[in-house]
Amino acid sequence: MSNHQKRLSVPKSWPVERKTETFTVKADAGPHGEAGVPLLIVLRDVLGYADSRKEARYALNNDSVLINGKAVSDEERPVGMFDILAFVERDEYYRVFPGEGGRLALTPIDEDSAQSKLGKIVGKRAVSGDQIQLTLHDGQTLLVEEDTDYDGGDSIVVGNDDDEVVAHFEYEAGALVTAVDGAHAGEIGEIDEIQVTPGSSSNNVLVEQTDGDGFETVEEYVVVIDENFVDEDAADAATDDDGGDDE
């Protein structure tokens, strides 16, 4: 099987120029499915920390690059939405976040924020031992107590070291959300209404914005976030209903 991917056919979330060259690296099997971006593209094309696959491999072999708290040695390992990237030797930390047009972008964060990652709950089922298994958007699974109040569509923040849930954000009217796909990918606002659609069709979500016209999308495309997961100006614009002073 080829290790190359034609640039013209890469998913729209990949932050690569499509017409500069014919091929780019192909993502390995792993988290995030087809939307996962190979780590090599992040190191070479986005951050400019490596000029070639060989340089990227050297950096990775030194255990100086972490994804969600774990050292990574495979330059084709997929990187996706809300992953935490840590560059130990540089003392730099980033969260993968939806950018304009749905392209993945890197948001600088501090070391404390890099100790946990956000996950959207996309699956929930009972398992033996009076526990519940949650499945997150990137395929990660974790066990929680049966009486915990987590529902599909909610978001949780999970510690990288111990997989403990450190925060929980409910999917409900008034929640701060970002769109991660579709025409409004990268936009932020508050849920105004969740319109339940009969049958197998996706529910619609109406999102209001104080600095925009708001938008409508399907609920699969929205993720509940906290103000700490976006830059301060964007969070203020999405949630400031009283026209408070800007500094």
Side-chain angles (χ1 to χ4, degrees):
M1 183 177 293
S2 173
N3 288 327
H4 294 87
Q5 161 79 51
K6 285 191 174 181
R7 285 177 177 257
L8 286 175
S9 61
V10 300
K12 64 181 181 180
S13 60
W14 287 30
V16 298
E17 296 298 328
R18 284 162 169 73
K19 297 182 179 180
T20 54
E21 297 179 18
T22 303
F23 294 99
T24 186
V25 65
K26 187 176 183 180
D28 236 345
H32 304 288
E34 295 182 355
V37 179
L39 180 57
L40 175 59
I41 289 180
V42 176
L43 295 175
R44 183 187 63 195
D45 301 340
V46 178
L47 294 171
Y49 288 170
D51 292 328
S52 65
R53 183 189 290 260
K54 182 177 180 180
E55 288 185 12
R57 284 177 175 171
Y58 176 79
L60 296 176
N61 286 337
N62 290 332
D63 291 339
S64 60
V65 180
L66 311 181
I67 298 180
N68 303 328
K70 298 175 178 61
V72 179
S73 59
D74 180 7
E75 74 274 11
E76 296 181 1
R77 194 272 196 195
V79 178
M81 199 67 63
F82 302 113
D83 275 345
I84 301 296
L85 274 65
F87 298 91
V88 179
E89 294 180 355
R90 294 173 177 267
D91 195 28
E92 293 180 4
Y93 308 90
Y94 298 93
R95 177 181 292 113
V96 181
F97 207 74
E100 184 177 353
R103 281 193 171 193
L104 298 182
L106 300 181
T107 301
I109 57 176
D110 59 31
E111 184 176 2
D112 287 342
S113 299
Q115 304 309 308
S116 57
K117 75 176 181 71
L118 183 79
K120 177 181 179 178
I121 299 174
V122 297
K124 174 183 176 180
R125 69 185 184 92
V127 295
S128 60
D130 296 328
Q131 290 186 309
I132 297 293
Q133 178 179 284
L134 303 178
T135 302
L136 304 185
H137 71 281
D138 58 359
Q140 179 183 2
T141 60
L142 64 154
L143 297 177
V144 296
E145 296 302 320
E146 190 175 35
D147 58 354
T148 48
D149 190 22
Y150 303 127
D151 290 317
D154 291 358
S155 291
I156 55 177
V157 180
V158 181
N160 291 332
D161 291 337
D162 53 16
D163 287 343
E164 290 294 321
V165 177
V166 297
H168 173 211
F169 309 123
E170 294 185 25
Y171 172 59
E172 61 184 0
L176 183 67
V177 297
T178 185
V180 298
D181 204 344
H184 301 283
E187 295 189 39
I188 297 169
E190 287 186 354
I191 295 178
D192 179 48
E193 182 183 356
I194 301 171
Q195 299 177 330
V196 178
T197 304
S200 59
S201 298
S202 297
N203 295 335
N204 292 328
V205 182
L206 305 183
V207 180
E208 58 182 3
Q209 300 167 301
T210 58
D211 63 340
D213 297 330
F215 61 90
E216 178 179 349
T217 188
V218 294
E219 64 181 3
E220 287 82 4
Y221 288 174
V222 297
V223 177
V224 183
I225 57 175
D226 178 72
E227 288 85 351
N228 294 326
F229 286 81
V230 296
D231 67 79
E232 186 174 342
D233 291 338
D236 288 345
T239 60
D240 184 8
D241 294 326
D242 57 6
D245 296 334
D246 294 329
E247 296 183 3

